[in-house]
């Protein structure tokens, strides 16, 4: 399982890439593998205000339905429409074409995990 070093993570298995005050968010390869074949995704709508830790969407697989939690505070400024039509991208390219949504940050996130911390978390769950 890959844990890209340039990203930050949450204990709910989202990844976060922050560039110029905008966070790109997706679910990790660990989460995608645990979910299995992803058949549906419902990200938050553009212009929605999200709060770190709050549910803001869902991902459905052949195994279960899982909530998507916002890892940051801010306003949704973009949604990956491609994954709505091709949800399998979340499983095949979770850190690339499988990103879910982007948030303009209203404050710097404080509770994100480093790649090392996330690796320790997932090794403890495995």
């Amino acid at each position: 399982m890959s844990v890209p070093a340039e990203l930050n993570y949450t204990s709910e298995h989202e990844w976060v890439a922050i560039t110029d005050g905008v966070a790109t968010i997706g679910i990790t390869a660990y989460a995608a593998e645990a979910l299995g074949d992803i058949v549906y995704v419902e990200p938050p709508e553009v212009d929605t205000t999200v709060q770190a830790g709050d549910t803001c969407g869902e991902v459905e697989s052949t195994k279960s339905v899982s909530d998507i939690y916002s890892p940051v505070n801010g306003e949704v400024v973009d949604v990956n429409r491609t994954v709505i039509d091709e949800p399998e991208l979340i499983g095949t390219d979770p850190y690339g074409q499988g990103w879910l949504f982007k948030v303009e940050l209203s404050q710097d996130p404080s509770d994100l995990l480093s790649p090392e911390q996330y690796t320790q978390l997932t090794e403890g769950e495995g």
Side-chain angles (χ1 to χ4, degrees):
M1 178 198 61
S2 65
V3 179
E6 69 276 10
L7 302 175
N8 289 309
Y9 301 87
T10 72
S11 59
E12 298 294 337
H13 306 291
E14 285 91 18
W15 59 262
V16 181
I18 300 172
T19 305
D20 298 327
V22 175
T24 301
I25 298 155
I27 64 169
T28 64
Y30 180 89
E33 186 176 305
L35 283 166
D37 293 331
I38 297 170
V39 296
Y40 176 77
V41 62
E42 184 180 325
E45 293 294 323
V46 171
D47 297 328
T48 301
T49 298
V50 293
Q51 296 294 314
D54 287 352
T55 303
C56 62
E58 67 181 28
V59 175
E60 184 176 331
S61 72
T62 54
K63 294 181 182 179
S64 67
V65 176
S66 296
D67 289 331
I68 301 168
Y69 296 90
S70 178
V72 297
N73 297 330
E75 183 176 311
V76 177
V77 293
D78 194 11
V79 170
N80 185 354
R81 302 277 174 214
T82 303
V83 297
I84 294 170
D85 295 331
E86 300 175 52
E88 65 274 8
L89 286 173
I90 297 168
T92 59
D93 191 13
Y95 302 112
Q97 294 180 25
W99 65 274
L100 299 175
F101 61 103
K102 296 184 181 190
V103 174
E104 185 175 334
L105 300 174
S106 61
Q107 67 185 61
D108 287 336
S110 59
D111 294 333
L112 298 178
L113 303 175
S114 69
E116 295 78 18
Q117 291 169 316
Y118 184 71
T119 299
Q120 289 176 346
L121 173 76
T122 56
E123 286 174 352
E125 291 182 2

